[in-house]
Amino acid sequence: DSATHSLIAGTIAGAVEGAITYPTELVKTKMQLQGSQQYIAQGGHIYKGPIDCASTTFKTQGIGGLYRGLTPMLIGNAAKAGVRFLTYDSVKAQLRDSDGKLSMPRMMLAGLCAGVIEGATVVAPSETIKTRLIHDQCMPQPKYRGMADCIQTAIRTDGIAGIYRGVVPVMARQGANSCVRFAAYDTLKQLLITHTTTDAKNIPFAYSFGLGMAAGTITVYATMPFDVVKTRMQSPSAKLEYKNSLHCVWRVASDEGPTALWKGATPRLSRLMFSGAIVFAVYEEVMKLMR
C-alpha cells in the first residue's frame, strides 16, 4: 500500500543520502562544538574554518576520520527518512480538502508533524551518539573504541536519558526542517507541474534533484539556530554549561555573538543542499519503481 511504499522509499533514500554526504555533517558538527568553553578547557582542537577542519581531519586520521560516527548516522538517517516520509504522506492524506488539494499551511503542518515524530523516535538517540563520537575525536586522547562502546558509556554514566539528551531541540529542529523542506519542495513541485507538461507521478530525476536542492538551501538558513543548539545540548559537557535549550541559546549568543547561532552553516548548506536533492530524487525514483 501507499504507506508501505512511503516507508520503503524514504528508508532507501535516507541511507543513500547519509552515506554520500556524511563528511560534511562531521565537519559541521566539529565546527559547532569548538565554541564551547568546556571543549576548549579539555584541549579540543580548534579549526580555522570548514576547509581546515576537513583537511586536518584527513591528514591526521586518514579517510576513515571523515567517516567517524557514520554508523549511527547511517542507521538513524535511513530510519528517520522512512519515518519522515511515512508520517508526512499519511498526515498529508488526512489534511487534503474535498477536492484533494492541500494549502500551504496544511502542507507545513504535515511537515511539522513528520519532523517532530522522527526527531523524538529516531534522530535524538542516533545524533547524540554521532555527536559524542565526533566530540571524542577532537580530544587529545580519544576514549571511545567505537559506536557500541560510546552507547554503553553514555548509558552507564548518564542512563537512558543521556541518549535522549537534547530531545527538545532535536524535535524543534526536525519539526522546523521538515516543515520548511517539505513545504518548499511540494510548492516548487506544484509550480513545475502547473507551468510545464511534467506528470506529477513521473517527474524526471534531474527535476526532482533540482527541486530538492532548492528546498535544502531554503531549509538551512531558516533553521540553522535550532541545529547549533541541538549540537551543543548533545555534547558531553552540556549539563555542565547549560540549564536548558533556552539557556544554551542565550549563552551562545552572549558569549560568541548572535552570528554563532549560524555557525557551521557552510558545511551544513553543502550537506542539506545535496541531501535534499538526493533524498527527494531517490524517493521519487523508488516510488516510480513500486507503482
Side-chain angles (χ1 to χ4, degrees):
D1 62 354
S2 60
T4 305
H5 289 176
S6 292
L7 181 62
I8 293 171
T11 301
I12 293 172
V16 172
E17 178 268 320
I20 293 173
T21 65
Y22 185 73
T24 60
E25 175 69 16
L26 176 127
V27 170
K28 179 215 73 175
T29 304
K30 284 191 172 189
M31 294 300 295
Q32 290 175 339
L33 286 170
Q34 67 179 20
S36 160
Q37 292 175 1
Q38 283 290 322
Y39 176 93
I40 295 168
Q42 291 167 1
H45 192 93
I46 301 298
Y47 303 101
K48 300 186 191 83
I51 294 174
D52 176 50
C53 179
S55 61
T56 301
T57 301
F58 179 73
K59 284 176 192 169
T60 57
Q61 297 162 43
I63 191 70
L66 291 170
Y67 286 89
R68 172 82 164 166
L70 172 64
T71 305
M73 176 71 173
L74 197 60
I75 295 169
N77 231 48
K80 78 179 182 184
V83 170
R84 181 195 311 148
F85 278 99
L86 171 63
T87 306
Y88 181 68
D89 287 344
S90 300
V91 174
K92 198 166 67 166
Q94 297 298 316
L95 294 177
R96 291 188 186 281
D97 61 23
S98 55
D99 295 326
K101 293 180 180 176
L102 199 68
S103 66
M104 172 68 82
R106 291 189 177 198
M107 213 182 281
M108 294 179 77
L109 177 60
L112 180 66
C113 290
V116 168
I117 290 173
E118 69 164 305
T121 58
V122 180
V123 183
S126 65
E127 294 234 346
T128 295
I129 298 306
K130 178 213 71 178
T131 299
R132 282 176 177 250
L133 285 169
I134 293 174
H135 180 280
D136 187 57
Q137 185 191 63
C138 298
M139 294 296 112
Q141 295 180 314
K143 61 182 180 180
Y144 298 130
R145 294 189 298 275
M147 184 179 77
D149 181 42
C150 181
I151 293 171
Q152 288 171 357
T153 302
I155 293 174
R156 189 168 59 247
T157 56
D158 299 324
I160 292 294
I163 301 293
Y164 280 87
R165 182 177 297 141
V167 68
V168 173
V170 165
M171 288 168 67
R173 185 198 68 166
Q174 293 307 119
N177 275 357
S178 291
C179 177
V180 174
R181 197 190 313 204
F182 275 120
Y185 180 81
D186 273 355
T187 301
L188 293 170
K189 179 179 172 180
Q190 202 53 53
L191 286 170
L192 176 71
I193 293 164
T194 304
H195 294 94
T196 66
T197 56
T198 306
D199 176 7
K201 291 189 176 181
N202 196 29
I203 294 179
F205 182 87
Y207 284 11
S208 55
F209 192 90
L211 294 178
M213 186 175 280
T217 302
I218 293 167
T219 304
V220 169
Y221 291 104
T223 65
M224 196 66 214
F226 291 108
D227 194 74
V228 171
V229 172
K230 183 273 310 176
T231 297
R232 292 291 181 90
M233 289 299 290
Q234 289 179 325
S235 72
S237 59
K239 61 183 178 182
L240 300 175
E241 291 196 77
Y242 314 117
K243 296 172 189 168
N244 51 46
S245 300
L246 288 177
H247 181 237
C248 178
V249 172
W250 181 80
R251 282 289 303 277
V252 171
S254 60
D255 293 354
E256 303 164 52
T259 55
L261 290 168
W262 274 266
K263 191 174 282 183
T266 301
R268 187 174 179 233
L269 176 63
S270 63
R271 176 170 184 265
L272 273 197
M273 190 167 68
F274 286 103
S275 78
I278 295 163
V279 161
F280 282 113
V282 172
Y283 177 81
E284 297 278 10
E285 291 301 307
V286 175
M287 287 297 277
K288 280 183 206 172
L289 292 173
M290 293 191 292
R291 285 189 183 112

PDB file of all heavy atoms in Angstrom, residues 12-39:
ATOM      1  N   ILE A  12      15.295   3.915   1.946  1.00  0.00           N
ATOM      2  CA  ILE A  12      16.345   3.773   0.929  1.00  0.00           C
ATOM      3  C   ILE A  12      16.975   5.137   0.632  1.00  0.00           C
ATOM      4  O   ILE A  12      18.201   5.276   0.576  1.00  0.00           O
ATOM      5  CB  ILE A  12      15.787   3.140  -0.364  1.00  0.00           C
ATOM      6  CG1 ILE A  12      15.378   1.683  -0.097  1.00  0.00           C
ATOM      7  CG2 ILE A  12      16.817   3.214  -1.499  1.00  0.00           C
ATOM      8  CD1 ILE A  12      14.632   1.023  -1.248  1.00  0.00           C
ATOM      9  N   ALA A  13      16.119   6.148   0.454  1.00  0.00           N
ATOM     10  CA  ALA A  13      16.610   7.494   0.151  1.00  0.00           C
ATOM     11  C   ALA A  13      17.489   8.028   1.281  1.00  0.00           C
ATOM     12  O   ALA A  13      18.542   8.629   1.037  1.00  0.00           O
ATOM     13  CB  ALA A  13      15.425   8.440  -0.080  1.00  0.00           C
ATOM     14  N   GLY A  14      17.083   7.787   2.533  1.00  0.00           N
ATOM     15  CA  GLY A  14      17.854   8.253   3.682  1.00  0.00           C
ATOM     16  C   GLY A  14      19.214   7.587   3.788  1.00  0.00           C
ATOM     17  O   GLY A  14      20.216   8.245   4.098  1.00  0.00           O
ATOM     18  N   ALA A  15      19.267   6.283   3.520  1.00  0.00           N
ATOM     19  CA  ALA A  15      20.537   5.546   3.588  1.00  0.00           C
ATOM     20  C   ALA A  15      21.505   6.027   2.507  1.00  0.00           C
ATOM     21  O   ALA A  15      22.694   6.257   2.777  1.00  0.00           O
ATOM     22  CB  ALA A  15      20.276   4.048   3.439  1.00  0.00           C
ATOM     23  N   VAL A  16      21.018   6.200   1.298  1.00  0.00           N
ATOM     24  CA  VAL A  16      21.857   6.672   0.183  1.00  0.00           C
ATOM     25  C   VAL A  16      22.394   8.068   0.478  1.00  0.00           C
ATOM     26  O   VAL A  16      23.593   8.345   0.339  1.00  0.00           O
ATOM     27  CB  VAL A  16      21.054   6.685  -1.147  1.00  0.00           C
ATOM     28  CG1 VAL A  16      21.861   7.359  -2.256  1.00  0.00           C
ATOM     29  CG2 VAL A  16      20.692   5.257  -1.563  1.00  0.00           C
ATOM     30  N   GLU A  17      21.508   8.939   0.917  1.00  0.00           N
ATOM     31  CA  GLU A  17      21.891  10.330   1.210  1.00  0.00           C
ATOM     32  C   GLU A  17      22.916  10.399   2.343  1.00  0.00           C
ATOM     33  O   GLU A  17      23.907  11.123   2.264  1.00  0.00           O
ATOM     34  CB  GLU A  17      20.634  11.128   1.571  1.00  0.00           C
ATOM     35  CG  GLU A  17      20.887  12.573   1.946  1.00  0.00           C
ATOM     36  CD  GLU A  17      21.087  12.762   3.440  1.00  0.00           C
ATOM     37  OE1 GLU A  17      20.373  12.127   4.229  1.00  0.00           O
ATOM     38  OE2 GLU A  17      21.993  13.536   3.812  1.00  0.00           O
ATOM     39  N   GLY A  18      22.698   9.622   3.418  1.00  0.00           N
ATOM     40  CA  GLY A  18      23.603   9.641   4.567  1.00  0.00           C
ATOM     41  C   GLY A  18      25.009   9.205   4.207  1.00  0.00           C
ATOM     42  O   GLY A  18      25.994   9.826   4.636  1.00  0.00           O
ATOM     43  N   ALA A  19      25.114   8.146   3.411  1.00  0.00           N
ATOM     44  CA  ALA A  19      26.420   7.615   3.022  1.00  0.00           C
ATOM     45  C   ALA A  19      27.200   8.606   2.161  1.00  0.00           C
ATOM     46  O   ALA A  19      28.419   8.765   2.309  1.00  0.00           O
ATOM     47  CB  ALA A  19      26.236   6.295   2.269  1.00  0.00           C
ATOM     48  N   ILE A  20      26.508   9.296   1.277  1.00  0.00           N
ATOM     49  CA  ILE A  20      27.168  10.228   0.344  1.00  0.00           C
ATOM     50  C   ILE A  20      27.611  11.522   1.031  1.00  0.00           C
ATOM     51  O   ILE A  20      28.696  12.036   0.782  1.00  0.00           O
ATOM     52  CB  ILE A  20      26.234  10.556  -0.847  1.00  0.00           C
ATOM     53  CG1 ILE A  20      26.033   9.306  -1.709  1.00  0.00           C
ATOM     54  CG2 ILE A  20      26.799  11.695  -1.702  1.00  0.00           C
ATOM     55  CD1 ILE A  20      24.995   9.462  -2.814  1.00  0.00           C
ATOM     56  N   THR A  21      26.781  12.053   1.911  1.00  0.00           N
ATOM     57  CA  THR A  21      27.035  13.404   2.446  1.00  0.00           C
ATOM     58  C   THR A  21      27.634  13.438   3.852  1.00  0.00           C
ATOM     59  O   THR A  21      27.839  14.516   4.397  1.00  0.00           O
ATOM     60  CB  THR A  21      25.721  14.223   2.465  1.00  0.00           C
ATOM     61  OG1 THR A  21      24.792  13.607   3.398  1.00  0.00           O
ATOM     62  CG2 THR A  21      25.083  14.287   1.092  1.00  0.00           C
ATOM     63  N   TYR A  22      27.958  12.294   4.440  1.00  0.00           N
ATOM     64  CA  TYR A  22      28.393  12.286   5.840  1.00  0.00           C
ATOM     65  C   TYR A  22      29.591  13.187   6.176  1.00  0.00           C
ATOM     66  O   TYR A  22      29.564  13.865   7.214  1.00  0.00           O
ATOM     67  CB  TYR A  22      28.688  10.863   6.335  1.00  0.00           C
ATOM     68  CG  TYR A  22      29.009  10.879   7.806  1.00  0.00           C
ATOM     69  CD1 TYR A  22      28.007  11.085   8.749  1.00  0.00           C
ATOM     70  CD2 TYR A  22      30.321  10.797   8.255  1.00  0.00           C
ATOM     71  CE1 TYR A  22      28.298  11.180  10.098  1.00  0.00           C
ATOM     72  CE2 TYR A  22      30.624  10.888   9.610  1.00  0.00           C
ATOM     73  CZ  TYR A  22      29.600  11.077  10.524  1.00  0.00           C
ATOM     74  OH  TYR A  22      29.891  11.186  11.854  1.00  0.00           O
ATOM     75  N   PRO A  23      30.662  13.220   5.368  1.00  0.00           N
ATOM     76  CA  PRO A  23      31.808  14.067   5.754  1.00  0.00           C
ATOM     77  C   PRO A  23      31.432  15.528   6.033  1.00  0.00           C
ATOM     78  O   PRO A  23      32.007  16.166   6.919  1.00  0.00           O
ATOM     79  CB  PRO A  23      32.750  13.945   4.555  1.00  0.00           C
ATOM     80  CG  PRO A  23      32.465  12.573   4.024  1.00  0.00           C
ATOM     81  CD  PRO A  23      30.971  12.426   4.171  1.00  0.00           C
ATOM     82  N   THR A  24      30.464  16.078   5.312  1.00  0.00           N
ATOM     83  CA  THR A  24      30.061  17.468   5.560  1.00  0.00           C
ATOM     84  C   THR A  24      29.342  17.585   6.906  1.00  0.00           C
ATOM     85  O   THR A  24      29.450  18.601   7.586  1.00  0.00           O
ATOM     86  CB  THR A  24      29.141  18.008   4.437  1.00  0.00           C
ATOM     87  OG1 THR A  24      27.960  17.210   4.350  1.00  0.00           O
ATOM     88  CG2 THR A  24      29.852  17.993   3.100  1.00  0.00           C
ATOM     89  N   GLU A  25      28.616  16.531   7.303  1.00  0.00           N
ATOM     90  CA  GLU A  25      27.945  16.513   8.613  1.00  0.00           C
ATOM     91  C   GLU A  25      28.994  16.494   9.726  1.00  0.00           C
ATOM     92  O   GLU A  25      28.852  17.175  10.745  1.00  0.00           O
ATOM     93  CB  GLU A  25      27.036  15.285   8.711  1.00  0.00           C
ATOM     94  CG  GLU A  25      26.380  15.075  10.052  1.00  0.00           C
ATOM     95  CD  GLU A  25      25.322  16.121  10.406  1.00  0.00           C
ATOM     96  OE1 GLU A  25      24.866  16.853   9.504  1.00  0.00           O
ATOM     97  OE2 GLU A  25      24.975  16.206  11.593  1.00  0.00           O
ATOM     98  N   LEU A  26      30.056  15.717   9.526  1.00  0.00           N
ATOM     99  CA  LEU A  26      31.129  15.629  10.519  1.00  0.00           C
ATOM    100  C   LEU A  26      31.802  16.989  10.694  1.00  0.00           C
ATOM    101  O   LEU A  26      32.023  17.448  11.819  1.00  0.00           O
ATOM    102  CB  LEU A  26      32.152  14.581  10.069  1.00  0.00           C
ATOM    103  CG  LEU A  26      33.378  14.456  10.989  1.00  0.00           C
ATOM    104  CD1 LEU A  26      33.564  13.008  11.416  1.00  0.00           C
ATOM    105  CD2 LEU A  26      34.634  14.940  10.279  1.00  0.00           C
ATOM    106  N   VAL A  27      32.126  17.651   9.579  1.00  0.00           N
ATOM    107  CA  VAL A  27      32.772  18.970   9.636  1.00  0.00           C
ATOM    108  C   VAL A  27      31.866  19.984  10.322  1.00  0.00           C
ATOM    109  O   VAL A  27      32.302  20.766  11.170  1.00  0.00           O
ATOM    110  CB  VAL A  27      33.153  19.451   8.220  1.00  0.00           C
ATOM    111  CG1 VAL A  27      33.608  20.913   8.246  1.00  0.00           C
ATOM    112  CG2 VAL A  27      34.265  18.573   7.655  1.00  0.00           C
ATOM    113  N   LYS A  28      30.580  19.980   9.971  1.00  0.00           N
ATOM    114  CA  LYS A  28      29.623  20.907  10.574  1.00  0.00           C
ATOM    115  C   LYS A  28      29.569  20.718  12.084  1.00  0.00           C
ATOM    116  O   LYS A  28      29.608  21.693  12.852  1.00  0.00           O
ATOM    117  CB  LYS A  28      28.223  20.665   9.992  1.00  0.00           C
ATOM    118  CG  LYS A  28      27.135  21.563  10.571  1.00  0.00           C
ATOM    119  CD  LYS A  28      25.808  20.852  10.693  1.00  0.00           C
ATOM    120  CE  LYS A  28      25.812  19.839  11.826  1.00  0.00           C
ATOM    121  NZ  LYS A  28      24.509  19.211  12.054  1.00  0.00           N
ATOM    122  N   THR A  29      29.512  19.469  12.543  1.00  0.00           N
ATOM    123  CA  THR A  29      29.418  19.174  13.972  1.00  0.00           C
ATOM    124  C   THR A  29      30.680  19.610  14.706  1.00  0.00           C
ATOM    125  O   THR A  29      30.611  20.186  15.794  1.00  0.00           O
ATOM    126  CB  THR A  29      29.158  17.673  14.201  1.00  0.00           C
ATOM    127  OG1 THR A  29      27.975  17.297  13.486  1.00  0.00           O
ATOM    128  CG2 THR A  29      28.966  17.356  15.667  1.00  0.00           C
ATOM    129  N   LYS A  30      31.848  19.357  14.112  1.00  0.00           N
ATOM    130  CA  LYS A  30      33.108  19.783  14.737  1.00  0.00           C
ATOM    131  C   LYS A  30      33.160  21.306  14.877  1.00  0.00           C
ATOM    132  O   LYS A  30      33.588  21.830  15.908  1.00  0.00           O
ATOM    133  CB  LYS A  30      34.303  19.304  13.898  1.00  0.00           C
ATOM    134  CG  LYS A  30      34.613  17.819  14.046  1.00  0.00           C
ATOM    135  CD  LYS A  30      35.946  17.492  13.400  1.00  0.00           C
ATOM    136  CE  LYS A  30      36.362  16.068  13.715  1.00  0.00           C
ATOM    137  NZ  LYS A  30      37.737  15.759  13.284  1.00  0.00           N
ATOM    138  N   MET A  31      32.722  22.016  13.851  1.00  0.00           N
ATOM    139  CA  MET A  31      32.740  23.479  13.882  1.00  0.00           C
ATOM    140  C   MET A  31      31.799  24.026  14.964  1.00  0.00           C
ATOM    141  O   MET A  31      32.092  25.029  15.597  1.00  0.00           O
ATOM    142  CB  MET A  31      32.331  24.045  12.514  1.00  0.00           C
ATOM    143  CG  MET A  31      33.312  23.750  11.380  1.00  0.00           C
ATOM    144  SD  MET A  31      34.965  24.421  11.674  1.00  0.00           S
ATOM    145  CE  MET A  31      34.620  26.169  11.673  1.00  0.00           C
ATOM    146  N   GLN A  32      30.676  23.361  15.166  1.00  0.00           N
ATOM    147  CA  GLN A  32      29.712  23.810  16.173  1.00  0.00           C
ATOM    148  C   GLN A  32      30.186  23.516  17.596  1.00  0.00           C
ATOM    149  O   GLN A  32      29.893  24.275  18.519  1.00  0.00           O
ATOM    150  CB  GLN A  32      28.353  23.145  15.943  1.00  0.00           C
ATOM    151  CG  GLN A  32      27.646  23.649  14.687  1.00  0.00           C
ATOM    152  CD  GLN A  32      26.367  22.881  14.410  1.00  0.00           C
ATOM    153  OE1 GLN A  32      26.181  21.770  14.881  1.00  0.00           O
ATOM    154  NE2 GLN A  32      25.487  23.473  13.623  1.00  0.00           N
ATOM    155  N   LEU A  33      30.896  22.426  17.790  1.00  0.00           N
ATOM    156  CA  LEU A  33      31.340  22.029  19.130  1.00  0.00           C
ATOM    157  C   LEU A  33      32.456  22.913  19.670  1.00  0.00           C
ATOM    158  O   LEU A  33      32.566  23.121  20.874  1.00  0.00           O
ATOM    159  CB  LEU A  33      31.821  20.567  19.112  1.00  0.00           C
ATOM    160  CG  LEU A  33      30.748  19.477  19.020  1.00  0.00           C
ATOM    161  CD1 LEU A  33      31.403  18.124  18.758  1.00  0.00           C
ATOM    162  CD2 LEU A  33      29.910  19.431  20.294  1.00  0.00           C
ATOM    163  N   GLN A  34      33.289  23.473  18.783  1.00  0.00           N
ATOM    164  CA  GLN A  34      34.525  24.085  19.255  1.00  0.00           C
ATOM    165  C   GLN A  34      34.366  25.432  19.961  1.00  0.00           C
ATOM    166  O   GLN A  34      35.310  25.941  20.534  1.00  0.00           O
ATOM    167  CB  GLN A  34      35.529  24.210  18.110  1.00  0.00           C
ATOM    168  CG  GLN A  34      35.143  25.177  17.016  1.00  0.00           C
ATOM    169  CD  GLN A  34      36.220  25.248  15.932  1.00  0.00           C
ATOM    170  OE1 GLN A  34      37.052  24.366  15.794  1.00  0.00           O
ATOM    171  NE2 GLN A  34      36.213  26.326  15.168  1.00  0.00           N
ATOM    172  N   GLY A  35      33.153  26.037  19.960  1.00  0.00           N
ATOM    173  CA  GLY A  35      32.964  27.294  20.678  1.00  0.00           C
ATOM    174  C   GLY A  35      32.722  27.101  22.164  1.00  0.00           C
ATOM    175  O   GLY A  35      32.829  28.036  22.955  1.00  0.00           O
ATOM    176  N   SER A  36      32.378  25.873  22.561  1.00  0.00           N
ATOM    177  CA  SER A  36      32.072  25.583  23.965  1.00  0.00           C
ATOM    178  C   SER A  36      33.304  25.750  24.858  1.00  0.00           C
ATOM    179  O   SER A  36      34.405  25.316  24.519  1.00  0.00           O
ATOM    180  CB  SER A  36      31.554  24.140  24.063  1.00  0.00           C
ATOM    181  OG  SER A  36      31.665  23.649  25.362  1.00  0.00           O
ATOM    182  N   GLN A  37      33.126  26.381  26.028  1.00  0.00           N
ATOM    183  CA  GLN A  37      34.238  26.607  26.957  1.00  0.00           C
ATOM    184  C   GLN A  37      34.803  25.287  27.478  1.00  0.00           C
ATOM    185  O   GLN A  37      36.008  25.139  27.671  1.00  0.00           O
ATOM    186  CB  GLN A  37      33.775  27.488  28.116  1.00  0.00           C
ATOM    187  CG  GLN A  37      33.467  28.922  27.687  1.00  0.00           C
ATOM    188  CD  GLN A  37      32.903  29.775  28.804  1.00  0.00           C
ATOM    189  OE1 GLN A  37      32.746  29.320  29.930  1.00  0.00           O
ATOM    190  NE2 GLN A  37      32.592  31.024  28.492  1.00  0.00           N
ATOM    191  N   GLN A  38      33.927  24.316  27.738  1.00  0.00           N
ATOM    192  CA  GLN A  38      34.378  23.003  28.198  1.00  0.00           C
ATOM    193  C   GLN A  38      35.223  22.314  27.126  1.00  0.00           C
ATOM    194  O   GLN A  38      36.222  21.665  27.429  1.00  0.00           O
ATOM    195  CB  GLN A  38      33.167  22.123  28.550  1.00  0.00           C
ATOM    196  CG  GLN A  38      32.518  22.468  29.878  1.00  0.00           C
ATOM    197  CD  GLN A  38      33.385  22.093  31.060  1.00  0.00           C
ATOM    198  OE1 GLN A  38      34.052  21.067  31.057  1.00  0.00           O
ATOM    199  NE2 GLN A  38      33.408  22.943  32.074  1.00  0.00           N
ATOM    200  N   TYR A  39      34.815  22.472  25.883  1.00  0.00           N
ATOM    201  CA  TYR A  39      35.554  21.877  24.759  1.00  0.00           C
ATOM    202  C   TYR A  39      36.976  22.436  24.740  1.00  0.00           C
ATOM    203  O   TYR A  39      37.956  21.698  24.602  1.00  0.00           O
ATOM    204  CB  TYR A  39      34.821  22.201  23.451  1.00  0.00           C
ATOM    205  CG  TYR A  39      35.508  21.741  22.185  1.00  0.00           C
ATOM    206  CD1 TYR A  39      35.211  20.500  21.624  1.00  0.00           C
ATOM    207  CD2 TYR A  39      36.437  22.547  21.535  1.00  0.00           C
ATOM    208  CE1 TYR A  39      35.831  20.073  20.458  1.00  0.00           C
ATOM    209  CE2 TYR A  39      37.060  22.131  20.371  1.00  0.00           C
ATOM    210  CZ  TYR A  39      36.752  20.896  19.840  1.00  0.00           C
ATOM    211  OH  TYR A  39      37.370  20.484  18.680  1.00  0.00           O
TER     212      TYR A  39
END
